Amino acid sequence: MGHYVTLGARDHDAACAFYDVVLATVGWAAHQDFPGWRGYSEGGVNDGGATLWVCRPFDGEAATNGNGTMMAFTVDDPAKVDAFHAAAMANGGSNEGAPGPRPDYGPDWYAAYVRDPTGNKLAAVCHG
């Protein structure tokens, strides 16, 4: 069974432009579009694995970010963490933690933390 996370977007077009670039750095791409919705998955292949949906909220209200909510993408190289952070900063994201070691989380933990244009928190993590 596939798992998915849904993140609301205040400006769907801007959010998709952000995610198209940022997720490419960790090997993810869009695999499906509906009006107001775009689905992303590893390699852009909807094969039952994890999916991220970026959308306008169903209730028509403004999208808001969750306090304590975060989606993390695991990568196999610290350079991908660096690229993820750089792409986010260059495409409307904000910094929540520059790329670097996080020894408090584990001996080989290397991560970066960002927020998308709506304020949703994301991370790229390499476990060494």
Side-chain angles (χ1 to χ4, degrees):
M1 170 173 33
H3 302 284
Y4 67 90
V5 172
T6 302
L7 297 177
R10 287 188 196 116
D11 179 334
H12 187 256
D13 293 337
C16 290
F18 173 88
Y19 282 101
D20 287 351
V21 174
V22 173
L23 293 184
T25 67
V26 295
W28 282 52
H31 70 260
Q32 195 161 22
D33 281 294
F34 299 102
W37 287 75
R38 181 169 289 168
Y40 296 88
S41 56
E42 191 168 10
V45 178
N46 189 7
D47 62 1
T51 298
L52 168 63
W53 288 99
V54 177
C55 67
R56 294 184 192 109
F58 277 126
D59 66 6
E61 297 295 322
T64 59
N65 58 300
N67 185 21
T69 302
M70 178 174 56
M71 182 167 183
F73 299 88
T74 303
V75 298
D76 59 0
D77 185 343
K80 291 179 182 176
V81 173
D82 296 345
F84 173 90
H85 188 269
M89 296 301 94
N91 289 279
S94 60
N95 182 31
E96 282 289 316
R102 301 295 195 279
D104 291 347
Y105 302 160
D108 297 319
W109 194 282
Y110 187 91
Y113 302 88
V114 302
R115 290 200 183 263
D116 73 6
T118 299
N120 296 302
K121 191 171 182 181
L122 309 167
V125 178
C126 180
H127 297 284

